[in-house]
Amino acid sequence: YRAALAKTARMILGGVPRPPLAYFPEMHREVRSVEVMVLLSESGRPRLWRAARAGSIASALLMASEAARARWNERAEAMGGPLHAILPRLDLEVAFLVEDGDFLDRRPSVIARQITADHGVGYEQTGSWRYLLPERLDELGEERRTRAFSLLFEENGLPDSALSRSDLRLYRLRVHRVGFSPAPARAERRGSSAPVQIKDAI
């Protein structure tokens, strides 16, 4: 089913209309709260990703895929061209974003101790979510733990003092990768008989 999730996302990104929910197996239609991320990368470099929360894996996958397609098309010139032309060069990854606890004690030293190498961070405000993936925090190097929320706030136009705002719910998250579709163009260059090495794209 992992390959099927990635294949479905690639079809939608390529312009195919969304399939009916009945297209998915029952396990993907099962009612559950889930956040699905669709990530596009080129030669290991993330190009664009979008995530969506919904009441089933199938619904969230469709929403995230359509959101990613719409966002790319909005910025097609800056992204290097229309998505349908570039998609064959892009790896596609599907992942679940799993919340892993709220920060109730907001002292910077306490927060820093609770962020591991596997965690990203996020905040919720009036039903909207903003977050940084673990790999984005890795760019901070040794300051990964101490500057995680500072970077998140900076990228969303908030001051560092937002750490104490009662209207923000602060949390940490993990990325659980569940599907991968390698770039078809690269696979063709390797040859049909060569095994495709599935690697984390971020």
Side-chain angles (χ1 to χ4, degrees), residues 117 119 133-142 144:
H119 285 119
L133 301 176
E135 292 77 4
R136 184 72 175 87
L137 296 186
D138 289 343
E139 298 173 10
L140 295 174
E142 294 182 356
R144 184 186 199 286

Side-chain angles (χ1 to χ4, degrees), residues 4 6 14-15 24 30 57 66 77 92 108 122-123 131 148-149 165 184 194 198:
F24 293 88
E30 181 180 286
I57 294 173
E66 291 175 337
E77 184 173 351
L92 185 151
Y123 70 81
Y131 56 85
F149 277 104
R165 284 175 48 171
I198 298 180

Side-chain angles (χ1 to χ4, degrees), residues 23-120:
Y23 169 88
F24 293 88
E26 184 177 355
M27 64 183 300
H28 292 158
R29 292 182 278 117
E30 181 180 286
V31 176
R32 55 178 291 191
S33 179
V34 64
E35 183 170 9
V36 174
M37 177 182 71
V38 173
L39 167 74
L40 294 172
S41 60
E42 186 171 8
S43 301
R45 180 172 63 91
R47 297 293 309 276
L48 183 143
W49 62 89
R50 282 293 180 270
R53 297 193 179 205
S56 71
I57 294 173
S59 295
L61 178 74
L62 295 176
M63 292 169 61
S65 301
E66 291 175 337
R69 182 178 66 190
R71 181 56 175 164
W72 186 294
N73 290 334
E74 289 172 1
R75 305 180 63 243
E77 184 173 351
M79 299 297 287
L83 180 56
H84 68 82
I86 297 178
L87 190 58
R89 306 202 311 259
L90 303 177
D91 293 323
L92 185 151
E93 186 172 316
V94 177
F96 297 156
L97 300 185
V98 183
E99 291 190 15
D100 192 29
D102 292 359
F103 292 99
L104 301 180
D105 188 331
R106 299 191 178 189
R107 287 176 292 174
S109 60
V110 174
I111 289 177
R113 288 198 301 269
Q114 295 176 344
I115 298 175
T116 74
D118 296 327
H119 285 119

Side-chain angles (χ1 to χ4, degrees), residues 132 137 140 143-152 154:
L132 293 176
L137 296 186
L140 295 174
E143 296 183 317
R144 184 186 199 286
R145 298 169 182 263
T146 58
R147 293 200 58 242
F149 277 104
S150 293
L151 179 59
L152 176 61
E154 177 184 331

Side-chain angles (χ1 to χ4, degrees), residues 168-189:
L168 299 184
R169 180 177 68 87
L170 309 183
Y171 63 93
R172 64 183 188 177
L173 61 87
R174 295 180 185 270
V175 178
H176 178 54
R177 294 173 174 88
V178 295
F180 185 84
S181 171
R186 190 174 69 250
E188 289 175 4
R189 288 198 301 271

